[in-house]
mmCIF file of all heavy atoms in Angstrom:
data_model
loop_
_atom_site.group_PDB
_atom_site.id
_atom_site.type_symbol
_atom_site.label_atom_id
_atom_site.label_comp_id
_atom_site.label_asym_id
_atom_site.label_seq_id
_atom_site.Cartn_x
_atom_site.Cartn_y
_atom_site.Cartn_z
ATOM 1 N N PRO A 995 0.717 -1.226 0.036
ATOM 2 C CA PRO A 995 -0.066 -0.061 0.039
ATOM 3 C C PRO A 995 0.878 1.292 0.003
ATOM 4 O O PRO A 995 0.323 2.286 -0.139
ATOM 5 C CB PRO A 995 -0.772 -0.094 1.274
ATOM 6 C CG PRO A 995 0.078 -0.936 2.206
ATOM 7 C CD PRO A 995 0.727 -1.894 1.289
ATOM 8 N N ASP A 996 2.168 1.080 0.122
ATOM 9 C CA ASP A 996 2.990 2.408 0.233
ATOM 10 C C ASP A 996 3.800 2.589 -1.026
ATOM 11 O O ASP A 996 4.762 3.353 -0.915
ATOM 12 C CB ASP A 996 3.923 2.188 1.478
ATOM 13 C CG ASP A 996 4.786 0.992 1.462
ATOM 14 O OD1 ASP A 996 4.596 0.094 0.540
ATOM 15 O OD2 ASP A 996 5.519 0.732 2.396
ATOM 16 N N THR A 997 3.351 1.984 -2.135
ATOM 17 C CA THR A 997 4.063 2.231 -3.387
ATOM 18 C C THR A 997 4.227 3.722 -3.860
ATOM 19 O O THR A 997 5.208 4.135 -4.424
ATOM 20 C CB THR A 997 3.431 1.422 -4.550
ATOM 21 O OG1 THR A 997 3.592 0.093 -4.224
ATOM 22 C CG2 THR A 997 4.099 1.709 -5.882
ATOM 23 N N ALA A 998 3.153 4.495 -3.348
ATOM 24 C CA ALA A 998 3.178 5.941 -3.834
ATOM 25 C C ALA A 998 4.437 6.591 -3.130
ATOM 26 O O ALA A 998 4.825 7.631 -3.609
ATOM 27 C CB ALA A 998 1.887 6.619 -3.356
ATOM 28 N N LEU A 999 5.018 6.034 -2.071
ATOM 29 C CA LEU A 999 6.058 6.678 -1.470
ATOM 30 C C LEU A 999 7.465 6.390 -1.955
ATOM 31 O O LEU A 999 8.523 6.914 -1.613
ATOM 32 C CB LEU A 999 6.074 6.263 -0.005
ATOM 33 C CG LEU A 999 4.770 6.551 0.860
ATOM 34 C CD1 LEU A 999 5.021 6.116 2.300
ATOM 35 C CD2 LEU A 999 4.576 8.112 0.870
ATOM 36 N N GLY A 1000 7.472 5.426 -2.902
ATOM 37 C CA GLY A 1000 8.725 4.999 -3.607
ATOM 38 C C GLY A 1000 8.720 3.484 -3.859
ATOM 39 O O GLY A 1000 8.022 2.702 -3.185
ATOM 40 N N VAL A 1001 9.393 3.135 -4.872
ATOM 41 C CA VAL A 1001 9.444 1.665 -5.334
ATOM 42 C C VAL A 1001 10.347 0.913 -4.259
ATOM 43 O O VAL A 1001 11.194 1.588 -3.605
ATOM 44 C CB VAL A 1001 10.068 1.499 -6.781
ATOM 45 C CG1 VAL A 1001 9.015 2.167 -7.787
ATOM 46 C CG2 VAL A 1001 11.376 2.134 -6.794
ATOM 47 N N HIS A 1002 10.167 -0.378 -4.268
ATOM 48 C CA HIS A 1002 10.771 -1.214 -3.318
ATOM 49 C C HIS A 1002 12.131 -1.846 -3.904
ATOM 50 O O HIS A 1002 12.105 -2.961 -4.396
ATOM 51 C CB HIS A 1002 9.869 -2.376 -2.766
ATOM 52 C CG HIS A 1002 8.705 -1.781 -2.108
ATOM 53 N ND1 HIS A 1002 7.645 -1.144 -2.612
ATOM 54 C CD2 HIS A 1002 8.583 -1.664 -0.736
ATOM 55 C CE1 HIS A 1002 6.750 -0.907 -1.755
ATOM 56 N NE2 HIS A 1002 7.280 -1.109 -0.563
ATOM 57 N N LEU A 1003 13.094 -1.011 -3.944
ATOM 58 C CA LEU A 1003 14.424 -1.345 -4.681
ATOM 59 C C LEU A 1003 14.996 -2.594 -4.062
ATOM 60 O O LEU A 1003 15.670 -3.310 -4.781
ATOM 61 C CB LEU A 1003 15.363 -0.227 -4.628
ATOM 62 C CG LEU A 1003 15.010 0.927 -5.560
ATOM 63 C CD1 LEU A 1003 15.977 2.059 -5.473
ATOM 64 C CD2 LEU A 1003 14.884 0.448 -7.083
ATOM 65 N N ALA A 1004 14.892 -2.729 -2.742
ATOM 66 C CA ALA A 1004 15.552 -3.921 -2.131
ATOM 67 C C ALA A 1004 14.960 -5.180 -2.617
ATOM 68 O O ALA A 1004 15.654 -6.227 -2.835
ATOM 69 C CB ALA A 1004 15.453 -3.826 -0.573
ATOM 70 N N GLY A 1005 13.623 -5.189 -2.767
ATOM 71 C CA GLY A 1005 13.056 -6.325 -3.249
ATOM 72 C C GLY A 1005 13.414 -6.679 -4.662
ATOM 73 O O GLY A 1005 13.628 -7.850 -5.066
ATOM 74 N N TYR A 1006 13.659 -5.721 -5.521
ATOM 75 C CA TYR A 1006 14.159 -5.979 -6.865
ATOM 76 C C TYR A 1006 15.560 -6.332 -6.903
ATOM 77 O O TYR A 1006 15.938 -7.085 -7.864
ATOM 78 C CB TYR A 1006 13.914 -4.625 -7.772
ATOM 79 C CG TYR A 1006 12.479 -4.190 -7.849
ATOM 80 C CD1 TYR A 1006 12.131 -2.895 -7.572
ATOM 81 C CD2 TYR A 1006 11.459 -5.116 -7.960
ATOM 82 C CE1 TYR A 1006 10.817 -2.479 -7.681
ATOM 83 C CE2 TYR A 1006 10.197 -4.680 -8.016
ATOM 84 C CZ TYR A 1006 9.803 -3.400 -7.894
ATOM 85 O OH TYR A 1006 8.494 -3.098 -7.868
ATOM 86 N N ALA A 1007 16.385 -6.056 -5.909
ATOM 87 C CA ALA A 1007 17.722 -6.559 -5.870
ATOM 88 C C ALA A 1007 17.695 -8.065 -5.533
ATOM 89 O O ALA A 1007 18.440 -8.835 -6.113
ATOM 90 C CB ALA A 1007 18.598 -5.891 -4.737
ATOM 91 N N VAL A 1008 16.748 -8.559 -4.723
ATOM 92 C CA VAL A 1008 16.674 -10.000 -4.424
ATOM 93 C C VAL A 1008 15.982 -10.666 -5.592
ATOM 94 O O VAL A 1008 16.367 -11.875 -5.948
ATOM 95 C CB VAL A 1008 15.656 -10.168 -3.184
ATOM 96 C CG1 VAL A 1008 15.642 -11.666 -2.862
ATOM 97 C CG2 VAL A 1008 16.278 -9.428 -1.994
ATOM 98 N N LEU A 1009 15.127 -10.048 -6.288
ATOM 99 C CA LEU A 1009 14.657 -10.576 -7.619
ATOM 100 C C LEU A 1009 15.778 -10.822 -8.641
ATOM 101 O O LEU A 1009 15.777 -11.833 -9.321
ATOM 102 C CB LEU A 1009 13.581 -9.638 -8.179
ATOM 103 C CG LEU A 1009 12.762 -10.156 -9.470
ATOM 104 C CD1 LEU A 1009 12.053 -11.395 -9.051
ATOM 105 C CD2 LEU A 1009 11.807 -9.165 -9.955
ATOM 106 N N TRP A 1010 16.704 -9.923 -8.691
ATOM 107 C CA TRP A 1010 17.890 -10.012 -9.630
ATOM 108 C C TRP A 1010 18.681 -11.252 -9.101
ATOM 109 O O TRP A 1010 19.065 -12.059 -9.933
ATOM 110 C CB TRP A 1010 18.749 -8.849 -9.522
ATOM 111 C CG TRP A 1010 19.850 -8.849 -10.463
ATOM 112 C CD1 TRP A 1010 20.035 -8.545 -11.810
ATOM 113 C CD2 TRP A 1010 21.259 -9.320 -10.129
ATOM 114 N NE1 TRP A 1010 21.291 -8.720 -12.319
ATOM 115 C CE2 TRP A 1010 22.043 -9.211 -11.244
ATOM 116 C CE3 TRP A 1010 21.926 -9.847 -8.941
ATOM 117 C CZ2 TRP A 1010 23.399 -9.579 -11.304
ATOM 118 C CZ3 TRP A 1010 23.228 -10.246 -8.948
ATOM 119 C CH2 TRP A 1010 23.917 -10.057 -10.022
ATOM 120 N N GLU A 1011 18.800 -11.439 -7.767
ATOM 121 C CA GLU A 1011 19.456 -12.603 -7.305
ATOM 122 C C GLU A 1011 18.791 -13.779 -7.633
ATOM 123 O O GLU A 1011 19.386 -14.849 -7.750
ATOM 124 C CB GLU A 1011 19.675 -12.515 -5.752
ATOM 125 C CG GLU A 1011 20.690 -11.620 -5.247
ATOM 126 C CD GLU A 1011 20.876 -11.863 -3.738
ATOM 127 O OE1 GLU A 1011 20.124 -11.247 -2.824
ATOM 128 O OE2 GLU A 1011 21.842 -12.574 -3.404
ATOM 129 N N THR A 1012 17.410 -13.841 -7.655
ATOM 130 C CA THR A 1012 16.642 -14.978 -8.055
ATOM 131 C C THR A 1012 17.097 -15.420 -9.427
ATOM 132 O O THR A 1012 17.243 -16.732 -9.715
ATOM 133 C CB THR A 1012 15.115 -14.735 -7.996
ATOM 134 O OG1 THR A 1012 14.838 -14.271 -6.677
ATOM 135 C CG2 THR A 1012 14.348 -15.942 -8.356
ATOM 136 N N LEU A 1013 17.130 -14.482 -10.298
ATOM 137 C CA LEU A 1013 17.632 -14.823 -11.801
ATOM 138 C C LEU A 1013 19.121 -15.365 -11.802
ATOM 139 O O LEU A 1013 19.340 -16.479 -12.312
ATOM 140 C CB LEU A 1013 17.391 -13.641 -12.632
ATOM 141 C CG LEU A 1013 15.979 -13.112 -12.786
ATOM 142 C CD1 LEU A 1013 16.149 -11.793 -13.512
ATOM 143 C CD2 LEU A 1013 15.149 -14.111 -13.404
ATOM 144 N N VAL A 1014 19.941 -14.593 -11.155
ATOM 145 C CA VAL A 1014 21.319 -14.920 -11.307
ATOM 146 C C VAL A 1014 21.828 -15.933 -10.361
ATOM 147 O O VAL A 1014 22.500 -16.995 -10.759
ATOM 148 C CB VAL A 1014 22.213 -13.507 -11.114
ATOM 149 C CG1 VAL A 1014 23.715 -13.886 -11.171
ATOM 150 C CG2 VAL A 1014 21.745 -12.529 -12.146
ATOM 151 N N ALA A 1015 21.649 -15.769 -9.115
ATOM 152 C CA ALA A 1015 22.051 -16.916 -8.076
ATOM 153 C C ALA A 1015 21.076 -18.045 -8.162
ATOM 154 O O ALA A 1015 21.400 -19.038 -7.629
ATOM 155 C CB ALA A 1015 22.170 -16.260 -6.755
ATOM 156 N N GLY A 1016 19.862 -17.906 -8.469
ATOM 157 C CA GLY A 1016 18.885 -18.952 -8.423
ATOM 158 C C GLY A 1016 18.872 -19.794 -9.736
ATOM 159 O O GLY A 1016 19.456 -20.851 -9.764
ATOM 160 N N TYR A 1017 18.393 -19.199 -10.791
ATOM 161 C CA TYR A 1017 18.229 -19.954 -12.037
ATOM 162 C C TYR A 1017 19.551 -20.130 -12.795
ATOM 163 O O TYR A 1017 19.756 -21.241 -13.348
ATOM 164 C CB TYR A 1017 17.235 -19.156 -12.896
ATOM 165 C CG TYR A 1017 15.800 -19.037 -12.372
ATOM 166 C CD1 TYR A 1017 15.134 -17.889 -12.559
ATOM 167 C CD2 TYR A 1017 15.299 -19.976 -11.472
ATOM 168 C CE1 TYR A 1017 13.909 -17.650 -12.010
ATOM 169 C CE2 TYR A 1017 14.082 -19.709 -10.880
ATOM 170 C CZ TYR A 1017 13.374 -18.643 -11.128
ATOM 171 O OH TYR A 1017 12.127 -18.324 -10.660
ATOM 172 N N ALA A 1018 20.334 -19.188 -12.686
ATOM 173 C CA ALA A 1018 21.777 -19.440 -13.335
ATOM 174 C C ALA A 1018 22.758 -20.153 -12.320
ATOM 175 O O ALA A 1018 23.749 -20.611 -12.754
ATOM 176 C CB ALA A 1018 22.386 -18.064 -13.800
ATOM 177 N N GLY A 1019 22.415 -20.285 -11.116
ATOM 178 C CA GLY A 1019 23.175 -20.954 -10.077
ATOM 179 C C GLY A 1019 24.563 -20.333 -9.781
ATOM 180 O O GLY A 1019 25.540 -21.044 -9.581
ATOM 181 N N PHE A 1020 24.605 -19.006 -9.926
ATOM 182 C CA PHE A 1020 25.863 -18.161 -9.696
ATOM 183 C C PHE A 1020 26.288 -18.206 -8.255
ATOM 184 O O PHE A 1020 25.467 -18.061 -7.323
ATOM 185 C CB PHE A 1020 25.771 -16.848 -10.154
ATOM 186 C CG PHE A 1020 26.852 -15.944 -9.741
ATOM 187 C CD1 PHE A 1020 28.041 -16.018 -10.360
ATOM 188 C CD2 PHE A 1020 26.671 -15.014 -8.695
ATOM 189 C CE1 PHE A 1020 29.117 -15.145 -9.862
ATOM 190 C CE2 PHE A 1020 27.754 -14.255 -8.284
ATOM 191 C CZ PHE A 1020 28.927 -14.324 -8.898
ATOM 192 N N ARG A 1021 27.530 -18.542 -8.004
ATOM 193 C CA ARG A 1021 28.122 -18.397 -6.710
ATOM 194 C C ARG A 1021 29.622 -17.867 -6.892
ATOM 195 O O ARG A 1021 30.351 -18.284 -7.874
ATOM 196 C CB ARG A 1021 28.236 -19.746 -5.969
ATOM 197 C CG ARG A 1021 26.900 -20.093 -5.393
ATOM 198 C CD ARG A 1021 26.975 -21.601 -4.670
ATOM 199 N NE ARG A 1021 27.801 -21.425 -3.447
ATOM 200 C CZ ARG A 1021 27.970 -22.425 -2.611
ATOM 201 N NH1 ARG A 1021 27.436 -23.634 -2.921
ATOM 202 N NH2 ARG A 1021 28.648 -22.247 -1.462
ATOM 203 N N SER A 1022 30.019 -16.940 -6.069
ATOM 204 C CA SER A 1022 31.419 -16.393 -5.926
ATOM 205 C C SER A 1022 32.161 -17.180 -4.851
ATOM 206 O O SER A 1022 31.623 -17.237 -3.793
ATOM 207 C CB SER A 1022 31.337 -14.955 -5.805
ATOM 208 O OG SER A 1022 32.559 -14.347 -5.790
ATOM 209 N N SER A 1023 33.395 -17.469 -5.199
ATOM 210 C CA SER A 1023 34.147 -18.119 -4.147
ATOM 211 C C SER A 1023 35.616 -17.645 -4.392
ATOM 212 O O SER A 1023 36.080 -17.187 -5.439
ATOM 213 C CB SER A 1023 34.088 -19.607 -4.247
ATOM 214 O OG SER A 1023 34.881 -20.069 -5.339
ATOM 215 N N PRO A 1024 36.519 -17.965 -3.263
ATOM 216 C CA PRO A 1024 37.982 -17.652 -3.647
ATOM 217 C C PRO A 1024 38.537 -18.366 -4.763
ATOM 218 O O PRO A 1024 39.509 -17.845 -5.364
ATOM 219 C CB PRO A 1024 38.583 -18.173 -2.396
ATOM 220 C CG PRO A 1024 37.441 -18.144 -1.307
ATOM 221 C CD PRO A 1024 36.224 -18.442 -1.983
ATOM 222 N N ASP A 1025 37.877 -19.459 -5.301
ATOM 223 C CA ASP A 1025 38.413 -20.162 -6.341
ATOM 224 C C ASP A 1025 37.950 -19.711 -7.683
ATOM 225 O O ASP A 1025 38.395 -20.150 -8.772
ATOM 226 C CB ASP A 1025 38.032 -21.635 -6.260
ATOM 227 C CG ASP A 1025 38.664 -22.325 -5.010
ATOM 228 O OD1 ASP A 1025 39.724 -21.924 -4.612
ATOM 229 O OD2 ASP A 1025 37.954 -23.147 -4.382
ATOM 230 N N GLY A 1026 37.053 -18.736 -7.748
ATOM 231 C CA GLY A 1026 36.526 -18.177 -9.011
ATOM 232 C C GLY A 1026 35.009 -18.111 -8.968
ATOM 233 O O GLY A 1026 34.365 -18.179 -8.029
ATOM 234 N N VAL A 1027 34.488 -17.995 -10.241
ATOM 235 C CA VAL A 1027 33.121 -17.867 -10.426
ATOM 236 C C VAL A 1027 32.517 -19.230 -10.745
ATOM 237 O O VAL A 1027 33.052 -19.934 -11.507
ATOM 238 C CB VAL A 1027 32.832 -16.901 -11.668
ATOM 239 C CG1 VAL A 1027 31.251 -16.765 -11.926
ATOM 240 C CG2 VAL A 1027 33.289 -15.555 -11.403
ATOM 241 N N GLN A 1028 31.332 -19.495 -10.173
ATOM 242 C CA GLN A 1028 30.789 -20.842 -10.323
ATOM 243 C C GLN A 1028 29.266 -20.646 -10.795
ATOM 244 O O GLN A 1028 28.573 -19.786 -10.345
ATOM 245 C CB GLN A 1028 30.755 -21.663 -8.971
ATOM 246 C CG GLN A 1028 32.199 -21.828 -8.405
ATOM 247 C CD GLN A 1028 32.035 -22.540 -7.049
ATOM 248 O OE1 GLN A 1028 31.163 -23.286 -6.775
ATOM 249 N NE2 GLN A 1028 33.071 -22.349 -6.216
ATOM 250 N N PHE A 1029 28.835 -21.671 -11.670
ATOM 251 C CA PHE A 1029 27.461 -21.643 -11.983
ATOM 252 C C PHE A 1029 27.053 -23.160 -12.070
ATOM 253 O O PHE A 1029 27.736 -24.039 -12.521
ATOM 254 C CB PHE A 1029 27.374 -21.191 -13.552
ATOM 255 C CG PHE A 1029 27.679 -19.596 -13.673
ATOM 256 C CD1 PHE A 1029 28.961 -19.260 -13.940
ATOM 257 C CD2 PHE A 1029 26.737 -18.689 -13.410
ATOM 258 C CE1 PHE A 1029 29.194 -17.910 -14.068
ATOM 259 C CE2 PHE A 1029 27.033 -17.369 -13.585
ATOM 260 C CZ PHE A 1029 28.283 -17.050 -13.908
ATOM 261 N N ASN A 1030 25.784 -23.242 -11.491
ATOM 262 C CA ASN A 1030 25.052 -24.548 -11.684
ATOM 263 C C ASN A 1030 23.623 -24.246 -12.161
ATOM 264 O O ASN A 1030 22.769 -24.102 -11.374
ATOM 265 C CB ASN A 1030 24.949 -25.334 -10.343
ATOM 266 C CG ASN A 1030 26.353 -25.903 -9.975
ATOM 267 O OD1 ASN A 1030 26.713 -26.979 -10.595
ATOM 268 N ND2 ASN A 1030 27.146 -25.260 -9.204
ATOM 269 N N PRO A 1031 23.495 -24.021 -13.472
ATOM 270 C CA PRO A 1031 22.179 -23.479 -13.932
ATOM 271 C C PRO A 1031 20.935 -24.491 -13.990
ATOM 272 O O PRO A 1031 21.239 -25.645 -14.024
ATOM 273 C CB PRO A 1031 22.543 -22.988 -15.388
ATOM 274 C CG PRO A 1031 23.639 -23.947 -15.800
ATOM 275 C CD PRO A 1031 24.471 -24.147 -14.567
ATOM 276 N N GLY A 1032 19.782 -23.882 -13.875
ATOM 277 C CA GLY A 1032 18.567 -24.701 -13.928
ATOM 278 C C GLY A 1032 17.493 -23.797 -14.370
ATOM 279 O O GLY A 1032 16.693 -23.288 -13.449
ATOM 280 N N LEU A 1033 17.429 -23.535 -15.575
ATOM 281 C CA LEU A 1033 16.375 -22.621 -16.043
ATOM 282 C C LEU A 1033 14.922 -23.142 -15.899
ATOM 283 O O LEU A 1033 14.843 -24.389 -15.999
ATOM 284 C CB LEU A 1033 16.449 -22.364 -17.615
ATOM 285 C CG LEU A 1033 17.625 -21.409 -17.986
ATOM 286 C CD1 LEU A 1033 17.631 -21.172 -19.540
ATOM 287 C CD2 LEU A 1033 17.590 -20.069 -17.228
ATOM 288 N N PRO A 1034 14.016 -22.404 -15.668
ATOM 289 C CA PRO A 1034 12.556 -22.897 -15.535
ATOM 290 C C PRO A 1034 12.092 -23.515 -16.939
ATOM 291 O O PRO A 1034 12.635 -22.975 -17.939
ATOM 292 C CB PRO A 1034 11.764 -21.643 -15.254
ATOM 293 C CG PRO A 1034 12.780 -20.736 -14.542
ATOM 294 C CD PRO A 1034 14.040 -20.985 -15.259
ATOM 295 N N ALA A 1035 11.238 -24.495 -16.830
ATOM 296 C CA ALA A 1035 10.715 -25.124 -18.136
ATOM 297 C C ALA A 1035 10.063 -24.041 -18.922
ATOM 298 O O ALA A 1035 9.326 -23.144 -18.497
ATOM 299 C CB ALA A 1035 9.723 -26.100 -17.726
ATOM 300 N N GLY A 1036 10.539 -24.006 -20.168
ATOM 301 C CA GLY A 1036 9.908 -23.110 -21.138
ATOM 302 C C GLY A 1036 10.673 -21.753 -21.403
ATOM 303 O O GLY A 1036 10.419 -21.048 -22.379
ATOM 304 N N TRP A 1037 11.696 -21.591 -20.551
ATOM 305 C CA TRP A 1037 12.575 -20.401 -20.727
ATOM 306 C C TRP A 1037 13.634 -20.628 -21.858
ATOM 307 O O TRP A 1037 14.187 -21.708 -21.736
ATOM 308 C CB TRP A 1037 13.278 -19.968 -19.435
ATOM 309 C CG TRP A 1037 12.315 -19.298 -18.446
ATOM 310 C CD1 TRP A 1037 11.075 -19.610 -18.213
ATOM 311 C CD2 TRP A 1037 12.818 -18.291 -17.520
ATOM 312 N NE1 TRP A 1037 10.612 -18.793 -17.242
ATOM 313 C CE2 TRP A 1037 11.648 -18.024 -16.746
ATOM 314 C CE3 TRP A 1037 13.955 -17.709 -17.295
ATOM 315 C CZ2 TRP A 1037 11.718 -17.063 -15.719
ATOM 316 C CZ3 TRP A 1037 13.994 -16.772 -16.206
ATOM 317 C CH2 TRP A 1037 12.953 -16.425 -15.469
ATOM 318 N N ARG A 1038 13.671 -19.780 -22.842
ATOM 319 C CA ARG A 1038 14.681 -20.022 -23.871
ATOM 320 C C ARG A 1038 16.108 -19.520 -23.541
ATOM 321 O O ARG A 1038 17.056 -20.095 -24.011
ATOM 322 C CB ARG A 1038 14.126 -19.375 -25.161
ATOM 323 C CG ARG A 1038 12.847 -19.835 -25.683
ATOM 324 C CD ARG A 1038 12.446 -19.233 -26.978
ATOM 325 N NE ARG A 1038 12.071 -17.855 -26.743
ATOM 326 C CZ ARG A 1038 12.689 -16.764 -27.216
ATOM 327 N NH1 ARG A 1038 13.762 -17.004 -27.946
ATOM 328 N NH2 ARG A 1038 12.310 -15.588 -27.111
ATOM 329 N N PHE A 1039 16.225 -18.422 -22.784
ATOM 330 C CA PHE A 1039 17.501 -18.059 -22.331
ATOM 331 C C PHE A 1039 17.472 -17.053 -21.244
ATOM 332 O O PHE A 1039 16.332 -16.499 -20.924
ATOM 333 C CB PHE A 1039 18.225 -17.365 -23.598
ATOM 334 C CG PHE A 1039 17.729 -16.010 -23.893
ATOM 335 C CD1 PHE A 1039 18.173 -14.783 -23.363
ATOM 336 C CD2 PHE A 1039 16.693 -15.910 -24.849
ATOM 337 C CE1 PHE A 1039 17.703 -13.602 -23.708
ATOM 338 C CE2 PHE A 1039 16.166 -14.642 -25.153
ATOM 339 C CZ PHE A 1039 16.662 -13.525 -24.624
ATOM 340 N N LEU A 1040 18.568 -16.850 -20.545
ATOM 341 C CA LEU A 1040 18.684 -15.816 -19.488
ATOM 342 C C LEU A 1040 20.107 -15.232 -19.733
ATOM 343 O O LEU A 1040 21.114 -15.926 -19.810
ATOM 344 C CB LEU A 1040 18.606 -16.456 -18.090
ATOM 345 C CG LEU A 1040 18.990 -15.634 -16.909
ATOM 346 C CD1 LEU A 1040 18.028 -14.498 -16.813
ATOM 347 C CD2 LEU A 1040 18.978 -16.530 -15.669
ATOM 348 N N ARG A 1041 20.136 -13.918 -19.873
ATOM 349 C CA ARG A 1041 21.366 -13.262 -20.191
ATOM 350 C C ARG A 1041 21.569 -12.036 -19.259
ATOM 351 O O ARG A 1041 20.726 -11.256 -18.977
ATOM 352 C CB ARG A 1041 21.323 -12.700 -21.537
ATOM 353 C CG ARG A 1041 22.759 -12.163 -22.093
ATOM 354 C CD ARG A 1041 22.646 -11.684 -23.602
ATOM 355 N NE ARG A 1041 22.430 -12.858 -24.410
ATOM 356 C CZ ARG A 1041 21.328 -12.877 -25.202
ATOM 357 N NH1 ARG A 1041 20.417 -11.824 -25.383
ATOM 358 N NH2 ARG A 1041 21.194 -13.927 -26.062
ATOM 359 N N PHE A 1042 22.816 -11.948 -18.736
ATOM 360 C CA PHE A 1042 23.040 -10.949 -17.710
ATOM 361 C C PHE A 1042 24.620 -10.566 -17.757
ATOM 362 O O PHE A 1042 25.374 -11.491 -18.230
ATOM 363 C CB PHE A 1042 22.629 -11.112 -16.323
ATOM 364 C CG PHE A 1042 23.191 -12.533 -15.779
ATOM 365 C CD1 PHE A 1042 24.354 -12.641 -15.118
ATOM 366 C CD2 PHE A 1042 22.383 -13.728 -15.995
ATOM 367 C CE1 PHE A 1042 24.836 -13.837 -14.596
ATOM 368 C CE2 PHE A 1042 22.914 -14.985 -15.560
ATOM 369 C CZ PHE A 1042 24.173 -14.940 -14.864
#
């Protein structure tokens, strides 16, 4: 109900994480960048 006061940017940051850390399976570690992807059924691609 408080959208008129401003958009919820923190929520959209977590949404970005859902795409990148969730469906693309991204993790950062001392050994480098890691991915274990699992796109939802029907998705053709995810690019970032």
Side-chain angles (χ1 to χ4, degrees):
D996 51 1
T997 292
L999 301 177
V1001 297
H1002 295 80
L1003 288 180
Y1006 299 134
V1008 180
L1009 186 61
W1010 183 90
E1011 280 193 282
T1012 301
L1013 298 171
V1014 175
Y1017 304 143
F1020 166 76
R1021 287 178 68 179
S1022 177
S1023 76
D1025 298 324
V1027 178
Q1028 302 178 25
F1029 294 93
N1030 285 282
L1033 286 184
W1037 284 34
R1038 294 184 293 116
F1039 71 92
L1040 171 62
R1041 185 178 299 123
F1042 56 90

